[in-house]
Amino acid sequence: MEKFSISTTTRNELIDITRRVQSAVKDSGVKDGVCTVYCPHTTGAITINESADPSVASDIERKLKKMVPKNENYSHAEGNSDSHIKSSLVGNTVQVILDNGSLQLGTWQGIFFCEFDGPRTRNVWVKIS
Amino acid sequence: MEKFSISTTTRNELIDITRRVQSAVKDSGVKDGVCTVYCPHTTGAITINESADPSVASDIERKLKKMVPKNENYSHAEGNSDSHIKSSLVGNTVQVILDNGSLQLGTWQGIFFCEFDGPRTRNVWVKIS
Amino acid sequence: MEKFSISTTTRNELIDITRRVQSAVKDSGVKDGVCTVYCPHTTGAITINESADPSVASDIERKLKKMVPKNENYSHAEGNSDSHIKSSLVGNTVQVILDNGSLQLGTWQGIFFCEFDGPRTRNVWVKIS
């Protein structure tokens, strides 16, 4: 398993980690298979979406905030139930096909770490199978 | 990696691609493992749900449209932020277990391509690992 | 493929299945790779979230119920369109990295079966690739 860490700077944020994942794939030495990108945190997520125009990521982040407000009638006492709920809606892992050492992404696709309870230092795990 | 393409006919639509995926699996010649079904588009998604009664797929499509309206206060200028958001909510990849060349699906399960910004020609990528 | 079954006790419920998945992994004899946890039902799902404080799981379950009410203008006649929709929002499969026979989960993470149309007996499929 390869690992890397990132620093988030605000409570809700989508960060493009495509280059970091590609670099982790290179470090693994594996050339073909399926690459699992995994978030080991319960208030973050991983998604694949458009990386060309940053307004797409900010629209996703803002809409999730609207659908799942920070303050609602939650029972979890730590004040971050919204973060946990968003993590399960988006999902904490994605799979990308690997061909000859290269991540096979669509033309407009990038891999994003979704921060829902930052700012924090976060870890991303990568495994090729 | 195996690939196939489909044509969608309207803006929002769920299309059952189970047979196409099974056919791609057969073409690969691999008999056992896990089959990754991957959507390389940022305004589409892949989901597994009931394929027996088509009203299930249409209820999913209509509810997503209601939760994420086409017109809201989005910043992305192309008029399809709703499509991108739905793509991240549903997810662009699923995994299905493969046993002796056959996709292992539950009794009522089918694999669907979700079109959120059609009509278009769309690609689906399949890889067994 | 390994299989196990669980009994749910109410209509909407998140059940921690981490130990059962770890036990299935042990039964498989495989030590390294990626573990796919698969729900073969169209009114259930699999998610990874906090397992320490049970109020997180109950907040997720209650928020999903609020976002996708049981009774709305659905066309599917069986009265469980909400269950199918929640299944596609959360997703029916997750992947966890396996290292030396042990599931690699974050400190607070557990694997949950999400029941959206119980009570029922449910199956979970596990495959390492």
Side-chain angles (χ1 to χ4, degrees), chain C residues 85-106:
Chain C
I85 293 162
K86 291 191 279 191
S87 179
S88 279
L89 284 175
V90 175
N92 77 314
T93 175
V94 298
Q95 278 66 41
V96 181
I97 299 168
L98 186 67
D99 186 30
N100 198 23
S102 174
L103 292 168
Q104 301 298 295
L105 294 164

Side-chain angles (χ1 to χ4, degrees), chain C residues 24 30 42 51-52 64 88 99 107 109 116 118-119 126:
Chain C
V30 187
T42 58
S51 59
L64 285 168
S88 279
D99 186 30
T107 311
Q109 288 183 324
F116 296 131
V126 175

Side-chain angles (χ1 to χ4, degrees), chain B residues 55-63, chain C residues 73-76 81 85:
Chain B
S55 69
V56 170
S58 66
D59 279 341
I60 293 169
E61 179 252 307
R62 283 197 305 146
K63 178 62 181 180
Chain C
N73 199 20
Y74 304 122
S75 58
H76 182 53
S81 278
I85 293 162

Side-chain angles (χ1 to χ4, degrees), chain A residues 32-46:
Chain A
D32 289 284
V34 171
C35 174
T36 293
V37 185
Y38 187 90
C39 164
H41 309 284
T42 57
T43 54
I46 309 281

Side-chain angles (χ1 to χ4, degrees), chain B residues 14 32-34 47-51 53 55-56 58-60 62-64 66-67 89-91 93-99 104-110 129, chain C residues 1 3 34 36 38-43 66-69 72-78 81 83-85 87-93 95 125-129:
Chain B
L14 270 69
D32 289 284
V34 171
T47 195
I48 291 174
N49 217 302
E50 180 177 328
S51 60
D53 179 356
S55 69
V56 170
S58 66
D59 279 341
I60 293 169
R62 283 197 305 146
K63 178 62 181 180
L64 284 168
K66 196 173 168 182
M67 289 171 70
L89 283 176
V90 175
T93 176
V94 298
Q95 279 66 41
V96 182
I97 298 167
L98 186 67
D99 185 30
Q104 300 298 296
L105 293 163
T107 311
W108 306 103
Q109 288 183 324
S129 62
Chain C
M1 173 177 21
K3 299 181 179 192
V34 171
T36 293
Y38 187 90
C39 165
H41 310 284
T42 58
T43 54
K66 195 172 168 182
M67 290 171 69
V68 188
E72 225 176 61
N73 199 20
Y74 304 122
S75 58
H76 182 53
E78 292 178 23
S81 278
S83 323
H84 289 291
I85 293 162
S87 179
S88 279
L89 284 175
V90 175
N92 77 314
T93 175
Q95 278 66 41
W125 298 349
V126 175
K127 171 85 176 180
I128 297 138
S129 62

Side-chain angles (χ1 to χ4, degrees), chain B residues 22-54:
Chain B
Q22 181 65 63
S23 172
V25 166
K26 196 177 171 188
D27 291 347
S28 78
V30 187
K31 296 289 184 191
D32 289 284
V34 171
C35 173
T36 293
V37 186
Y38 187 90
C39 165
H41 310 285
T42 57
T43 54
I46 308 280
T47 195
I48 291 174
N49 217 302
E50 180 177 328
S51 60
D53 179 356

Side-chain angles (χ1 to χ4, degrees), chain C:
Chain C
M1 173 177 21
E2 309 297 319
K3 299 181 179 192
F4 62 86
S5 63
I6 54 170
S7 294
T8 62
T9 61
T10 181
R11 189 163 194 268
N12 289 284
E13 189 179 4
L14 269 69
I15 296 180
D16 189 336
I17 57 170
T18 312
R19 287 181 194 184
R20 301 294 300 274
V21 176
Q22 181 64 62
S23 170
V25 166
K26 196 177 172 188
D27 291 347
S28 79
V30 187
K31 296 289 184 191
D32 288 284
V34 171
C35 174
T36 293
V37 185
Y38 187 90
C39 165
H41 310 284
T42 58
T43 54
I46 308 280
T47 196
I48 290 174
N49 217 303
E50 180 177 328
S51 59
D53 178 357
S55 69
V56 170
S58 66
D59 278 341
I60 294 170
E61 178 252 307
R62 284 196 306 147
K63 178 63 181 179
L64 285 168
K65 208 154 55 179
K66 195 172 168 182
M67 290 171 69
V68 188
K70 184 174 187 323
N71 299 306
E72 225 176 61
N73 199 20
Y74 304 122
S75 58
H76 182 53
E78 292 178 23
N80 61 356
S81 278
D82 63 318
S83 323
H84 289 291
I85 293 162
K86 291 191 279 191
S87 179
S88 279
L89 284 175
V90 175
N92 77 314
T93 175
V94 298
Q95 278 66 41
V96 181
I97 299 168
L98 186 67
D99 186 30
N100 198 23
S102 174
L103 292 168
Q104 301 298 295
L105 294 164
T107 311
W108 305 103
Q109 288 183 324
I111 307 168
F112 290 85
F113 182 89
C114 307
E115 174 62 84
F116 296 131
D117 194 27
R120 300 197 194 200
T121 299
R122 298 295 204 172
N123 299 302
V124 177
W125 298 349
V126 175
K127 171 85 176 180
I128 297 138
S129 62

Side-chain angles (χ1 to χ4, degrees), chain A residues 8 42 44 46 57 87 97 104 113-114 120-121:
Chain A
T8 62
T42 57
I46 309 281
S87 179
I97 298 167
Q104 300 299 294
F113 181 88
C114 306
R120 299 197 196 202
T121 298

